[in-house]
Amino acid sequence: MNQDGWVQVTPSFAVERIDPAVVFYEDVLGFKAWRPGGGYAYIERNRIAIRLLEAALYGPDRPGPSHAYVDVLDVERLFAEIAPRLEALPAERWTPPEDQPHGQREFSVRDPDGNLVIFGQGIGANAGQWDYRLRG
């Protein structure tokens, strides 16, 4: 933790029902869940976290589908790991890795509630974008 007390930014996704949402993130994407109850779960994989909250708990301020971008060092390795599970989903719920004009290689996955998670790796001039964090 830094001296100011800031910890991290954690996206929060509204889901219709917590149980099937957690199953999706655990079984398809390999996250682990902490489930204290009350329609809430905190899912995490390698320090990448997302908060899942049943949509009804938001009341009238319920958000629509959200999205998160997850930076990874080897997008091909991650995709190869989860591709067999993605292939069991409808084709419109995921995309294979593809180079983007903004210097990233990305693939995306939509959860059952329409929330979008994009996994990306810097390529070309962006290839070393995380070197400063990895050095120390």
Side-chain angles (χ1 to χ4, degrees):
M1 186 180 330
N2 66 36
Q3 294 176 353
D4 294 332
W6 292 48
V7 178
Q8 67 184 19
V9 172
T10 310
S12 182
F13 289 176
V15 298
E16 285 302 316
R17 295 184 6 246
I18 202 70
D19 292 334
V22 167
V23 167
F24 173 82
Y25 282 94
E26 287 183 326
D27 292 355
V28 177
L29 299 181
F31 283 78
K32 300 292 182 207
W34 177 64
R35 300 174 68 170
Y40 168 77
Y42 182 89
I43 59 168
E44 186 175 50
R45 178 174 175 170
N46 298 332
R47 298 202 44 151
I48 302 299
I50 300 171
R51 297 174 190 277
L52 304 176
L53 187 64
E54 287 186 348
L57 299 173
Y58 282 98
D61 294 326
R62 174 189 172 157
S66 298
H67 72 277
Y69 195 101
V70 179
D71 290 288
V72 298
L73 296 177
D74 190 342
V75 76
E76 294 295 337
R77 191 188 86 215
L78 177 59
F79 185 77
E81 173 196 327
I82 66 174
R85 299 185 296 272
L86 294 177
E87 290 168 357
L89 300 175
E92 64 272 7
R93 295 251 316 269
W94 61 278
T95 62
E98 186 175 348
D99 292 353
Q100 302 298 323
H102 50 272
Q104 296 289 108
R105 182 158 179 81
E106 302 171 346
F107 73 91
S108 64
V109 181
R110 226 174 248 291
D111 76 10
D113 294 285
N115 298 298
L116 179 67
V117 182
I118 301 169
F119 298 91
Q121 170 187 352
I123 57 173
N126 277 350
Q129 67 183 325
W130 298 115
D131 289 354
Y132 75 98
R133 287 187 172 182
L134 300 173
R135 276 187 242 130

